[in-house]
CSV table of all heavy atoms in Angstrom, one decimal:
chain,number,residue,atom,x,y,z
B,1,TYR,N,-24.2,-23.0,-56.9
B,1,TYR,CA,-23.4,-23.0,-55.8
B,1,TYR,C,-21.8,-23.0,-56.0
B,1,TYR,O,-21.4,-23.8,-57.0
B,1,TYR,CB,-23.7,-24.1,-54.9
B,1,TYR,CG,-25.2,-24.1,-54.5
B,1,TYR,CD1,-26.1,-25.0,-55.1
B,1,TYR,CD2,-25.8,-23.0,-53.7
B,1,TYR,CE1,-27.4,-24.9,-54.7
B,1,TYR,CE2,-27.1,-23.0,-53.4
B,1,TYR,CZ,-28.0,-24.0,-53.9
B,1,TYR,OH,-29.3,-23.8,-53.7
B,2,ALA,N,-21.2,-22.1,-55.4
B,2,ALA,CA,-19.7,-22.1,-55.4
B,2,ALA,C,-19.1,-23.4,-55.0
B,2,ALA,O,-19.6,-24.0,-54.1
B,2,ALA,CB,-19.2,-21.0,-54.6
B,3,MET,N,-17.9,-23.8,-55.7
B,3,MET,CA,-17.1,-24.9,-55.3
B,3,MET,C,-15.7,-24.4,-55.0
B,3,MET,O,-15.3,-23.4,-55.4
B,3,MET,CB,-17.0,-25.8,-56.5
B,3,MET,CG,-18.4,-26.3,-57.0
B,3,MET,SD,-19.2,-27.5,-55.7
B,3,MET,CE,-18.1,-28.9,-55.7
B,4,GLY,N,-15.1,-25.2,-54.1
B,4,GLY,CA,-13.7,-24.8,-53.7
B,4,GLY,C,-12.8,-26.0,-53.7
B,4,GLY,O,-13.3,-27.2,-53.5
B,5,TRP,N,-11.5,-25.8,-53.7
B,5,TRP,CA,-10.5,-26.9,-53.4
B,5,TRP,C,-9.6,-26.3,-52.3
B,5,TRP,O,-9.2,-25.2,-52.2
B,5,TRP,CB,-9.6,-27.0,-54.6
B,5,TRP,CG,-10.4,-27.8,-55.8
B,5,TRP,CD1,-11.0,-27.2,-56.9
B,5,TRP,CD2,-10.4,-29.1,-55.9
B,5,TRP,NE1,-11.4,-28.2,-57.6
B,5,TRP,CE2,-11.1,-29.5,-57.2
B,5,TRP,CE3,-10.0,-30.3,-55.2
B,5,TRP,CZ2,-11.4,-30.7,-57.6
B,5,TRP,CZ3,-10.3,-31.6,-55.6
B,5,TRP,CH2,-11.0,-31.8,-56.9
B,6,PHE,N,-9.4,-27.3,-51.3
B,6,PHE,CA,-8.5,-27.0,-50.2
B,6,PHE,C,-7.5,-28.1,-50.2
B,6,PHE,O,-7.6,-29.2,-50.8
B,6,PHE,CB,-9.3,-27.0,-48.9
B,6,PHE,CG,-10.1,-25.8,-48.8
B,6,PHE,CD1,-11.4,-25.7,-49.5
B,6,PHE,CD2,-9.8,-24.7,-47.9
B,6,PHE,CE1,-12.2,-24.6,-49.4
B,6,PHE,CE2,-10.6,-23.6,-47.8
B,6,PHE,CZ,-11.8,-23.6,-48.5
B,7,ARG,N,-6.4,-27.9,-49.4
B,7,ARG,CA,-5.4,-29.0,-49.3
B,7,ARG,C,-4.8,-29.0,-48.0
B,7,ARG,O,-4.9,-28.0,-47.2
B,7,ARG,CB,-4.3,-28.9,-50.3
B,7,ARG,CG,-3.4,-27.7,-50.1
B,7,ARG,CD,-2.4,-27.4,-51.4
B,7,ARG,NE,-1.5,-26.4,-51.2
B,7,ARG,CZ,-0.7,-26.0,-52.1
B,7,ARG,NH1,-0.6,-26.5,-53.2
B,7,ARG,NH2,0.1,-24.9,-51.9
B,8,GLN,N,-4.5,-30.1,-47.5
B,8,GLN,CA,-3.8,-30.3,-46.1
B,8,GLN,C,-2.6,-31.3,-46.3
B,8,GLN,O,-2.8,-32.4,-46.5
B,8,GLN,CB,-4.9,-30.8,-45.2
B,8,GLN,CG,-4.4,-30.8,-43.8
B,8,GLN,CD,-5.6,-31.2,-42.8
B,8,GLN,OE1,-6.6,-31.7,-43.1
B,8,GLN,NE2,-5.4,-30.8,-41.6
B,9,ALA,N,-1.5,-30.7,-46.0
B,9,ALA,CA,-0.3,-31.5,-45.9
B,9,ALA,C,-0.1,-32.0,-44.5
B,9,ALA,O,-0.7,-31.6,-43.6
B,9,ALA,CB,0.9,-30.5,-46.2
B,10,SER,N,0.6,-33.2,-44.5
B,10,SER,CA,0.7,-33.9,-43.2
B,10,SER,C,1.3,-33.0,-42.1
B,10,SER,O,2.4,-32.3,-42.4
B,10,SER,CB,1.7,-35.2,-43.5
B,10,SER,OG,1.7,-35.9,-42.4
B,11,GLY,N,0.6,-33.1,-41.0
B,11,GLY,CA,1.0,-32.3,-40.0
B,11,GLY,C,0.7,-30.8,-40.0
B,11,GLY,O,1.2,-30.0,-39.2
B,12,LYS,N,0.1,-30.3,-41.0
B,12,LYS,CA,-0.3,-28.9,-41.1
B,12,LYS,C,-1.8,-28.7,-41.3
B,12,LYS,O,-2.6,-29.6,-41.5
B,12,LYS,CB,0.4,-28.4,-42.5
B,12,LYS,CG,1.9,-28.4,-42.5
B,12,LYS,CD,2.5,-27.9,-43.8
B,12,LYS,CE,3.9,-28.0,-43.8
B,12,LYS,NZ,4.5,-27.5,-45.0
B,13,GLU,N,-2.3,-27.4,-41.2
B,13,GLU,CA,-3.6,-27.1,-41.2
B,13,GLU,C,-4.0,-27.0,-42.7
B,13,GLU,O,-3.4,-26.8,-43.6
B,13,GLU,CB,-3.8,-25.6,-40.5
B,13,GLU,CG,-3.4,-25.7,-39.0
B,13,GLU,CD,-3.9,-24.4,-38.4
B,13,GLU,OE1,-4.1,-23.4,-39.1
B,13,GLU,OE2,-3.9,-24.3,-37.2
B,14,ARG,N,-5.4,-27.2,-42.8
B,14,ARG,CA,-5.9,-27.2,-44.1
B,14,ARG,C,-5.9,-25.7,-44.7
B,14,ARG,O,-6.1,-24.7,-44.0
B,14,ARG,CB,-7.4,-27.7,-44.1
B,14,ARG,CG,-8.1,-27.9,-45.4
B,14,ARG,CD,-9.4,-28.4,-45.3
B,14,ARG,NE,-9.3,-29.8,-44.7
B,14,ARG,CZ,-10.4,-30.7,-44.5
B,14,ARG,NH1,-11.5,-30.3,-45.1
B,14,ARG,NH2,-10.1,-31.9,-44.1
B,15,GLU,N,-5.5,-25.6,-45.9
B,15,GLU,CA,-5.3,-24.3,-46.6
B,15,GLU,C,-6.2,-24.2,-47.9
B,15,GLU,O,-6.3,-25.2,-48.6
B,15,GLU,CB,-3.9,-24.0,-46.9
B,15,GLU,CG,-3.3,-24.8,-47.9
B,15,GLU,CD,-1.8,-24.3,-48.2
B,15,GLU,OE1,-1.5,-23.1,-48.0
B,15,GLU,OE2,-1.1,-25.1,-48.8
B,16,PHE,N,-6.6,-23.0,-48.1
B,16,PHE,CA,-7.4,-22.7,-49.3
B,16,PHE,C,-6.4,-22.8,-50.6
B,16,PHE,O,-5.4,-22.3,-50.5
B,16,PHE,CB,-8.0,-21.3,-49.2
B,16,PHE,CG,-8.5,-20.7,-50.6
B,16,PHE,CD1,-9.8,-21.1,-51.0
B,16,PHE,CD2,-7.9,-19.8,-51.2
B,16,PHE,CE1,-10.4,-20.8,-52.1
B,16,PHE,CE2,-8.5,-19.3,-52.4
B,16,PHE,CZ,-9.7,-19.9,-52.9
B,17,VAL,N,-7.1,-23.3,-51.6
B,17,VAL,CA,-6.3,-23.3,-52.9
B,17,VAL,C,-6.9,-22.6,-54.0
B,17,VAL,O,-6.4,-21.8,-54.6
B,17,VAL,CB,-6.2,-25.0,-53.4
B,17,VAL,CG1,-5.6,-24.9,-54.8
B,17,VAL,CG2,-5.3,-25.7,-52.4
B,18,ALA,N,-8.3,-22.9,-54.2
B,18,ALA,CA,-9.1,-22.3,-55.2
B,18,ALA,C,-10.4,-22.4,-55.1
B,18,ALA,O,-11.0,-23.2,-54.4
B,18,ALA,CB,-8.8,-22.9,-56.6
B,19,ALA,N,-11.2,-21.4,-55.7
B,19,ALA,CA,-12.7,-21.4,-55.6
B,19,ALA,C,-13.3,-20.9,-56.9
B,19,ALA,O,-12.6,-20.1,-57.6
B,19,ALA,CB,-13.2,-20.5,-54.5
B,20,ILE,N,-14.5,-21.4,-57.2
B,20,ILE,CA,-15.2,-20.9,-58.3
B,20,ILE,C,-16.6,-20.7,-58.1
B,20,ILE,O,-17.3,-21.4,-57.4
B,20,ILE,CB,-15.0,-22.0,-59.5
B,20,ILE,CG1,-15.6,-21.5,-60.9
B,20,ILE,CG2,-15.6,-23.3,-59.2
B,20,ILE,CD1,-15.1,-22.4,-62.1
B,21,SER,N,-17.2,-19.6,-58.7
B,21,SER,CA,-18.7,-19.4,-58.5
B,21,SER,C,-19.5,-20.3,-59.2
B,21,SER,O,-19.1,-21.1,-60.0
B,21,SER,CB,-19.0,-17.9,-59.1
B,21,SER,OG,-18.7,-17.8,-60.5
B,22,GLY,N,-20.8,-20.3,-58.9
B,22,GLY,CA,-21.7,-21.3,-59.4
B,22,GLY,C,-21.8,-21.3,-60.9
B,22,GLY,O,-21.8,-22.4,-61.5
B,23,SER,N,-21.7,-20.1,-61.6
B,23,SER,CA,-21.7,-20.1,-63.0
B,23,SER,C,-20.4,-20.3,-63.7
B,23,SER,O,-20.4,-20.5,-64.8
B,23,SER,CB,-22.3,-18.6,-63.4
B,23,SER,OG,-21.2,-17.7,-63.1
B,24,GLY,N,-19.3,-20.4,-62.7
B,24,GLY,CA,-18.0,-20.4,-63.3
B,24,GLY,C,-17.4,-19.2,-63.8
B,24,GLY,O,-16.2,-19.2,-64.3
B,25,GLY,N,-18.1,-18.0,-63.7
B,25,GLY,CA,-17.6,-16.7,-64.2
B,25,GLY,C,-16.5,-16.0,-63.2
B,25,GLY,O,-16.0,-15.1,-63.7
B,26,ASN,N,-16.5,-16.4,-62.1
B,26,ASN,CA,-15.6,-15.9,-61.1
B,26,ASN,C,-14.8,-16.9,-60.4
B,26,ASN,O,-15.3,-17.9,-60.0
B,26,ASN,CB,-16.4,-15.0,-60.0
B,26,ASN,CG,-15.6,-14.2,-59.1
B,26,ASN,OD1,-14.5,-13.9,-59.5
B,26,ASN,ND2,-16.2,-13.8,-57.9
B,27,THR,N,-13.6,-16.7,-60.6
B,27,THR,CA,-12.5,-17.6,-59.8
B,27,THR,C,-11.6,-16.9,-58.9
B,27,THR,O,-11.3,-15.7,-59.1
B,27,THR,CB,-11.8,-18.5,-60.8
B,27,THR,OG1,-10.9,-17.5,-61.6
B,27,THR,CG2,-12.7,-19.3,-61.7
B,28,TYR,N,-11.2,-17.7,-57.9
B,28,TYR,CA,-10.1,-17.1,-57.0
B,28,TYR,C,-9.1,-18.1,-56.6
B,28,TYR,O,-9.5,-19.3,-56.3
B,28,TYR,CB,-11.0,-16.6,-55.8
B,28,TYR,CG,-10.0,-16.0,-54.7
B,28,TYR,CD1,-9.2,-14.9,-55.0
B,28,TYR,CD2,-10.2,-16.4,-53.3
B,28,TYR,CE1,-8.4,-14.4,-53.9
B,28,TYR,CE2,-9.5,-15.9,-52.3
B,28,TYR,CZ,-8.6,-14.9,-52.6
B,28,TYR,OH,-7.7,-14.4,-51.6
């Protein structure tokens, strides 16, 4: 399964940071 990282600054909406496929072979 793919995993992702998101972040949310105070007072702001959550935003995408990075993602990686289950195998680790594909990142974004």
Side-chain angles (χ1 to χ4, degrees):
Y1 303 106
M3 301 291 293
W5 288 95
F6 291 75
R7 66 187 182 186
Q8 186 168 20
S10 181
K12 299 181 180 179
E13 295 183 347
R14 188 170 298 185
E15 66 173 342
F16 170 76
V17 176
I20 187 167
S21 62
S23 68
N26 189 18
T27 62
Y28 178 53

